[in-house]
Amino acid sequence: MAQVTLTARVDKHDKAKFSALCSNIGLNTSDSFFSKTNMAYVKKSVQELRSGKGTPHELIEVGDE
C-alpha cells in the first residue's frame, strides 16, 4: 500500500486536544500513524486482546471538555 503525507491546519486548541488524544493511545503526532513504532504498538495491542488481556465493551462516548 502506498503511503502519503497528510497535512492539516487546525487551531491551537484542536491541536492540543489531538496531541493529548495521541499521547493517551500511545501515538505521536509528529510521526506517521503508520510508522514502524506505531504499527508495532497496534500489533502488540491486538495480540493482547486476542489472548484475553482486554475487556470488550461498547463505544464509550464522551462530551466536549
Side-chain angles (χ1 to χ4, degrees), residues 17-48:
K17 286 173 65 177
F18 182 68
S19 294
L21 168 74
C22 289
S23 178
N24 286 339
I25 59 175
L27 300 176
N28 184 324
T29 56
S30 65
D31 293 334
S32 164
F33 279 102
F34 298 103
S35 71
K36 288 182 181 180
T37 303
N38 290 340
M39 291 306 293
Y41 178 82
V42 170
K43 288 178 182 179
K44 178 180 176 269
S45 297
V46 169
Q47 288 173 344
E48 288 176 357

Side-chain angles (χ1 to χ4, degrees), residues 43-64:
K43 288 178 182 179
K44 178 180 176 269
S45 297
V46 169
Q47 288 173 344
E48 288 176 357
L49 289 172
R50 288 183 176 159
S51 69
K53 295 180 184 175
T55 305
H57 58 79
E58 297 298 319
L59 177 65
I60 300 170
E61 294 194 34
V62 297
D64 288 339

